């Protein structure tokens, strides 16, 4: 992921003032894959400094390009060279971060994604500056937007994994809200009298009981993921990135989707039971991951007990 993407850009013959950025990033990506386990770390201050330099260089190039016509393109070579130099420094910093001992799979994916997006937009800007000044204005804005995302890039795997878990938590909350709304409609609380596309009007008491069990299951999973985030945040040291990745090697997202579809797509008690079991297994995997980084897996006991109670309720 990443190196092959930019390699295609290079081989397709990028043209324009900033074409060397594609070559630089492709070389950095190849170096990333060839070396891992470095001891040098990248600090937030370093990233902010590099971002400030690149931001100023791109802004200056964009402003100069808007004022030039095709006969004055030569005037853009110096500001373009400054952008290329700043981009090279950013690529070098991303390479150092990628191969550092605090980088795991998730962080490396983020690094490649941010670097790819920035490089592609810079190359596009360089091409437009020699062809279409008006189109170069929004292109410059896109580059600035990508540059600012560099500041938000996690600088260690703990932060990268936490962000992925936060996205999963948001998904769980949204799913639970949808099922709660479905139950409210099924009870007539929202005044839906006609059957809609979800077949709510046909929901009987058994369907509502199963739906309520799904809400409880989603609550248990949600509380479990929240507790995992709390435990990871409390870690003082940087654990082995591979141990942190274990928090993402589970089926929480999959079981959440299954729970949603087993109700919103038409109530299916057997599918609900299977989804709850999958959720329980996901919580067990999270508990094991907590133990792996030195945290107490018993922190998830409440969530596991809630899903066990849901399983018993469904059997009844």
């Amino acid at each position: 992921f990443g190196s092959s993407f930019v390699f295609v850009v290079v081989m397709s013959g990028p043209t324009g003032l900033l074409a060397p950025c594609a070559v630089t990033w492709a070389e950095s990506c190849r170096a990333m894959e060839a070396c891992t386990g470095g001891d040098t770390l990248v600090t937030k201050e370093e990233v902010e400094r590099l971002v400030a330099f690149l931001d100023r260089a791109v802004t200056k190039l964009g402003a100069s390009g808007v004022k030039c016509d095709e006969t004055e393109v030569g005037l853009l070579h110096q500001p373009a060279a400054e952008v290329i130099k700043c981009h090279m420094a950013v690529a070098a910093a991303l390479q150092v971060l990628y191969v550092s001992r605090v980088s795991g799979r998730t962080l490396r994916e983020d690094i490649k994604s941010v670097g790819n997006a920035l490089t592609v937009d810079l190359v596009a800007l360089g091409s437009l500056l020699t062809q279409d000044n008006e189109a170069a204005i929004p292109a410059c804005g896109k580059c600035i937007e990508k540059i600012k995302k560099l500041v938000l890039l996690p600088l260690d795997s703990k932060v990268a994994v936490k962000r992925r878990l936060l996205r999963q938590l948001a998904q769980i909350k949204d799913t639970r809200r949808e099922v709660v709304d479905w139950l409210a409609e099924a009870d007539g609380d929202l005044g839906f009298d006609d059957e809609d596309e979800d077949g709510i009007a046909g929901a009987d008491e058994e369907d509502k009981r199963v739906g309520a069990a799904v809400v409880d299951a989603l609550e248990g999973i949600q509380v479990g993921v929240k507790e995992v985030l709390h435990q990871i945040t409390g870690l003082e040291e940087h654990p082995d990135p591979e141990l942190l990745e274990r928090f993402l090697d589970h089926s929480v997202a999959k079981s959440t989707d299954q729970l949603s579809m087993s109700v919103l797509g038409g109530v299916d008690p057997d599918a609900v039971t299977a989804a709850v079991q999958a959720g329980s297994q996901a919580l067990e995997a999270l508990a094991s991951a907590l133990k792996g980084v030195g945290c107490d897996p018993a922190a998830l006991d409440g969530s596991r007990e809630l899903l066990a109670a849901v399983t018993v309720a469904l059997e009844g």
Side-chain angles (χ1 to χ4, degrees), residues 164-180:
R164 293 287 179 96
L165 286 172
L166 281 169
R167 287 200 288 268
Q168 288 189 356
L169 183 60
Q171 177 193 358
I172 296 168
K173 288 180 177 179
D174 289 343
T175 300
R176 184 175 180 278
R177 189 178 303 113
E178 289 176 357
V179 179
V180 167

Side-chain angles (χ1 to χ4, degrees), residues 38-228:
D39 291 327
T40 305
L41 301 180
V42 178
T43 67
K44 184 175 173 40
E45 290 72 24
E46 289 173 320
V47 173
E48 290 176 344
R49 179 172 55 84
L50 292 173
V51 165
F53 286 149
L54 183 55
D55 188 299
R56 282 197 297 269
V58 169
T59 300
K60 181 178 178 181
L61 175 61
S64 300
V66 171
K67 300 174 184 177
C68 292
D69 59 33
E70 5 179 274
T71 64
E72 301 174 310
V73 171
L75 298 176
L76 300 179
H77 289 167
Q78 191 280 328
E82 187 64 24
V83 172
I84 292 168
K85 183 175 73 172
C86 291
H87 172 267
M88 188 177 296
V90 167
L94 292 179
Q95 181 179 326
V96 169
L97 178 58
Y98 187 96
V99 303
S100 72
R101 55 183 168 77
V102 297
S103 296
R105 182 177 67 252
T106 299
L107 177 54
R108 289 172 182 165
E109 289 176 359
D110 290 342
I111 292 169
K112 289 285 188 70
S113 177
V114 169
N116 282 343
L118 172 61
T119 302
V120 169
D121 281 354
L122 285 174
V123 172
L125 172 62
S127 297
L128 287 170
L129 283 170
T130 60
Q131 301 171 16
D132 186 346
N133 284 6
E134 290 187 7
I137 297 175
C140 184
K142 287 180 64 177
C143 289
I144 297 299
E145 179 184 325
K146 297 300 191 304
I147 291 169
K148 293 188 183 304
K149 286 186 177 181
L150 287 168
V151 180
L152 302 177
L153 185 68
L155 298 181
D156 62 68
S157 283
K158 187 171 86 168
V159 176
V161 168
K162 280 178 60 180
R163 288 185 182 179
R164 293 287 179 96
L165 286 172
L166 281 169
R167 287 200 288 268
Q168 288 189 356
L169 183 60
Q171 177 193 358
I172 296 168
K173 288 180 177 179
D174 289 343
T175 300
R176 184 175 180 278
R177 189 178 303 113
E178 289 176 357
V179 179
V180 167
D181 289 346
W182 179 89
L183 276 174
E185 294 177 15
D187 284 334
D189 291 344
L190 299 182
F192 287 85
D193 297 324
D194 298 325
E195 182 173 358
D196 62 12
E197 60 183 9
D198 291 327
I200 289 176
D204 56 22
E205 291 305 314
E206 177 60 18
D207 290 341
K208 296 174 187 176
R209 185 182 73 84
V210 172
V214 168
V215 171
D216 289 342
L218 288 168
E219 175 69 16
I221 295 173
Q222 178 178 320
V223 170
V225 174
K226 275 185 178 179
E227 184 56 40
V228 166

